[in-house]
Amino acid sequence: MTAYFAHSVKGQPPSVWQSLRLHLMAVAQLARERAKGACKLDDLLSDAAFAAGLLHDLGKYRVKFQEYLKDPRLKGNPLTFHKQAGAARAHFHFKHDPIAFAVMGHHGGIPDRTTITADLKQLAGEPTAQAVWPEAIRDCPELAGLAPTVPTLRGFHADLFTRVLFSCLVDADWSDTGEHERKSKGLAEEPKPSELDPAARLPKVLAFIETRAIQCREQHIKDIRAQIRDACLSRADDGPGLFSLTVPTGGGKTLAGLAFALKHAAKHNLRRIIYVAPYMSILEQNISVFREALGIGPDASDLFEHYSLAELPGDADLDETVREAAVRRAENWDAPVIVTTNVQFFESLFSNKPGRCRKLHNIARSVIILDECQSLPPGLVAPTCGMLKQLIADIGCSIVLCTAAHEGQWKQSDNCCLKDLDIRSDYYYHRRNWRAVHILRSHRAYISSLLGDCWSDSHVDSSGYRRRAIELPGSHVLRRKGNFRVNPMASVSHRGTDQGGDLCSRSVPQLYHQLRGTTSGERSGQGLEQLSVDCDGAGQRLLPVLRRGPQRAR
């Protein structure tokens, strides 16, 4: 009987190569396990995942592909193409398009519906599927018993079903292939990912919040933060769904949201917490707080940082097994706590590429905290809300929309209804009690008579406004030129640079700066902003004086 192989080992004889039947069976089993983990009650998904695993490399039964394993010079020869045969079997024989899309996309990405039928009629598709099928079922009898039920799906439901199926297949295929490569190299087994264990982590977070509260000097602020935290904990017993947490800046919504996520995950057996923010500056502020609150060390893999400035372990400090585990974690998010950007998260939901979509099945049954949700462009709100609702309905996610502003654009979307789901309903009450900035609008004549010619150097920042600091008795004026931004983690010292560095203000009793539009039709001297900030004796309060427009993060 002819031996068929899925993968060769460079420099090694066929006796140590990976059997094609064993690979198909392993991928089918792994894909089914991932589908059950994503949606325990959906047999349609788990059965489709098993079938996709058996079919994904059907074309490797081609004689030319087996010759290619022995002679790599045949790479690129159309007679060695293998993904099309399994996709054609699913499309034409089983009439199961989600499996066809998943199999066709496991190398290169999910194709368009307008092209898949034509592509599968080519030589590598339906003709090859029919030609290799008799030999394939002799080598792998499990193929003969396949009869996946075709789901009747429409809209976002069909889209998400296909993407999660695709994710299960890609992760299973890459995991089994990687395991074979590690064994062939004699490397140690990758460490198993840890579990969230939210019931054990929640007391740590609550104790951390109490410790932070002791350091707050203003009793009314401590009381408001406690109210917000208690409200979050009380709503954590609600069923999985869509929540909004609207709290003014400084109200402790990040830690309150984390406490909500842990209690909610413990109540409903959810697997991980995914914190998503639009800017890397926000992530950098919160990562160390998350680690300290959760009791996770700086090098522990229980919290995975996935954004462009988060470096994966390098060659100099870790062995190959640990490095590969870190790379895999960036692709499949199997850590219990994920901290990432909007770009990484939403590309995982809407991309068609294997590397992006591999993690989608691990997003299932998670608490997803979308911080600064109002930053999403208005034109993307409707499709985003449509997909978020499917994450809740189909794969058991809970989503928390966090903002310090009012999330009006979300509520105006037909695809996203937040009515009666607010964790906090008294946003405006807290905002009035939280106000540290008082804005005065005055005419230019009054400004001139009040201040005379005490203008400092000015500049135009990237937000399109000219800002001028005005020196008054008892005020601190920044006369340095250049673009500045505030790093909330900065020390009290002045750290402004001419290259757009960080700035941390000293103790400032009062500061005024003029807002002047730079576009035609806007008049000069429209008003002043007076920032009145209460600072302690050591000047520990950070004041955003000049701010550069934030960059979108990847």
Side-chain angles (χ1 to χ4, degrees):
M1 183 176 180
T2 304
Y4 294 94
F5 300 100
H7 301 101
S8 61
V9 179
K10 187 176 181 179
Q12 297 295 325
S15 58
V16 299
W17 292 3
Q18 186 180 31
S19 161
L20 179 53
R21 177 181 180 272
L22 293 180
H23 175 62
L24 296 180
M25 287 300 300
V27 172
Q29 294 287 358
L30 290 173
R32 181 158 59 186
E33 290 174 7
R34 283 153 173 75
K36 286 185 176 294
C39 189
K40 291 184 176 181
L41 302 179
D42 194 341
D43 291 336
L44 286 175
L45 180 62
S46 59
D47 290 347
F50 184 82
L54 284 180
L55 291 171
H56 80 287
D57 278 351
L58 180 64
K60 290 186 176 181
Y61 282 102
R62 302 179 80 178
V63 174
K64 211 63 175 180
F65 181 86
Q66 295 298 312
E67 293 178 357
Y68 156 65
L69 293 178
K70 301 174 184 177
D71 185 3
R73 291 175 298 178
L74 292 175
K75 183 177 182 179
N77 188 322
L79 296 178
T80 66
F81 295 169
H82 66 276
K83 66 179 183 179
Q84 293 86 350
R89 185 73 182 179
H91 181 70
F92 293 110
H93 183 75
F94 297 121
K95 311 297 181 183
H96 201 302
D97 282 349
I99 295 178
F101 280 113
V103 173
M104 191 68 173
H106 83 280
H107 290 297
I110 301 175
D112 293 333
R113 178 175 292 276
T114 56
T115 62
I116 188 171
T117 301
D119 291 344
L120 294 182
K121 290 180 179 179
Q122 302 298 320
L123 176 62
E126 176 65 5
T128 295
Q130 293 184 4
V132 304
W133 188 251
E135 190 65 20
I137 60 175
R138 278 195 294 269
D139 182 64
C140 183
E142 292 80 4
L143 284 166
L146 286 181
T149 303
V150 180
T152 55
L153 307 173
R154 297 178 64 84
F156 277 112
H157 186 65
D159 184 74
L160 185 60
F161 183 93
T162 302
R163 290 178 184 278
V164 175
L165 174 61
F166 177 52
S167 169
C168 295
L169 174 61
V170 170
D171 192 32
D173 183 28
W174 291 12
S175 296
D176 184 67
T177 302
E179 180 66 19
H180 168 69
E181 291 178 355
R182 282 191 299 277
K183 288 181 179 179
S184 67
K185 295 177 181 179
L187 299 177
E189 184 177 354
E190 282 189 3
K192 300 295 183 183
S194 58
E195 296 184 353
L196 178 61
D197 194 7
R201 296 188 191 272
L202 179 58
K204 296 179 182 179
V205 172
L206 296 178
F208 179 79
I209 293 174
E210 290 296 332
T211 302
R212 294 276 291 257
I214 295 173
Q215 302 171 5
C216 180
R217 299 182 181 183
E218 295 87 352
Q219 185 60 43
H220 75 284
I221 293 179
K222 292 165 59 172
D223 293 341
I224 292 175
R225 287 174 176 169
Q227 293 173 22
I228 293 169
R229 178 201 62 206
D230 293 343
C232 289
L233 292 175
S234 68
R235 294 299 301 270
D237 291 333
D238 292 0
L242 186 63
F243 300 86
S244 68
L245 177 57
T246 307
V247 176
T249 301
K253 71 177 183 296
T254 300
L255 287 173
L258 180 60
F260 167 86
L262 287 169
K263 186 177 180 182
H264 191 71
K267 176 73 174 179
H268 301 289
N269 193 30
L270 303 183
R271 300 183 298 173
R272 58 184 44 85
I273 295 172
I274 303 174
Y275 175 81
V276 185
Y279 308 120
M280 288 180 287
S281 58
I282 299 175
L283 299 182
E284 290 169 349
Q285 291 176 40
N286 292 330
I287 285 171
S288 60
V289 176
F290 286 158
R291 287 189 178 275
E292 187 175 358
L294 293 166
I296 299 174
D299 298 324
S301 60
D302 289 4
L303 186 152
F304 184 73
E305 307 167 28
H306 191 194
Y307 55 100
S308 60
L309 295 184
E311 296 182 358
L312 295 177
D315 294 346
D317 56 351
L318 293 174
D319 60 41
E320 187 172 351
T321 299
V322 179
R323 287 198 308 276
E324 289 183 357
V327 173
R328 185 205 70 243
R329 194 166 290 114
E331 293 174 341
N332 74 356
W333 284 5
D334 60 2
V337 181
I338 305 294
V339 178
T340 189
T341 61
N342 283 355
V343 170
Q344 297 290 347
F345 179 74
F346 288 113
E347 284 192 359
S348 301
L349 300 182
F350 292 102
S351 176
N352 71 328
K353 298 300 182 183
R356 291 287 188 187
C357 294
R358 181 182 180 183
K359 62 180 75 73
L360 185 53
H361 72 92
N362 276 332
I363 293 176
R365 294 176 52 223
S366 298
V367 183
I368 302 166
I369 301 174
L370 295 177
D371 205 356
E372 303 296 340
C373 63
Q374 79 285 350
S375 65
L376 190 70
L380 298 180
V381 170
T384 299
C385 286
M387 179 59 80
L388 294 180
K389 288 179 68 176
Q390 292 306 134
L391 295 183
I392 296 168
D394 294 349
I395 55 177
C397 291
S398 279
I399 297 171
V400 183
L401 304 178
C402 288
T403 179
H406 204 54
E407 68 287 347
Q409 65 171 339
W410 294 80
K411 290 191 173 182
Q412 292 170 6
S413 170
D414 293 336
N415 286 317
C416 188
C417 179
L418 301 182
K419 181 182 290 187
D420 298 327
L421 290 177
D422 292 348
I423 295 176
R424 292 300 298 168
S425 59
D426 47 3
Y427 166 75
Y428 290 107
Y429 165 78
H430 287 316
R431 186 176 181 182
R432 287 194 300 270
N433 285 273
W434 214 262
R435 180 170 294 178
V437 176
H438 305 279
I439 299 178
L440 301 179
R441 297 292 180 183
S442 305
H443 294 293
R444 185 172 182 82
Y446 173 74
I447 297 171
S448 299
S449 64
L450 174 66
L451 303 172
D453 296 324
C454 297
W455 298 101
S456 73
D457 295 313
S458 62
H459 74 280
V460 178
D461 70 4
S462 59
S463 64
Y465 289 97
R466 182 182 300 276
R467 300 186 178 186
R468 293 182 174 183
I470 304 168
E471 185 170 10
L472 292 175
S475 296
H476 173 71
V477 178
L478 301 172
R479 294 181 176 275
R480 301 186 61 179
K481 294 182 179 180
N483 292 328
F484 295 87
R485 68 180 176 88
V486 172
N487 180 356
M489 305 302 294
S491 64
V492 179
S493 62
H494 183 122
R495 287 170 39 174
T497 71
D498 293 338
Q499 301 300 322
D502 296 335
L503 171 69
C504 179
S505 173
R506 299 184 181 90
S507 180
V508 183
Q510 287 186 338
L511 182 130
Y512 296 81
H513 63 101
Q514 180 190 19
L515 300 182
R516 177 187 183 277
T518 57
T519 59
S520 60
E522 293 186 345
R523 294 183 299 172
S524 174
Q526 290 182 327
L528 287 180
E529 283 189 353
Q530 175 187 347
L531 308 183
S532 300
V533 181
D534 296 328
C535 300
D536 58 28
Q540 294 294 318
R541 180 71 64 85
L542 300 181
L543 175 68
V545 182
L546 300 176
R547 184 171 53 196
R548 185 178 182 178
Q551 301 278 331
R552 291 281 176 183
R554 289 191 65 83

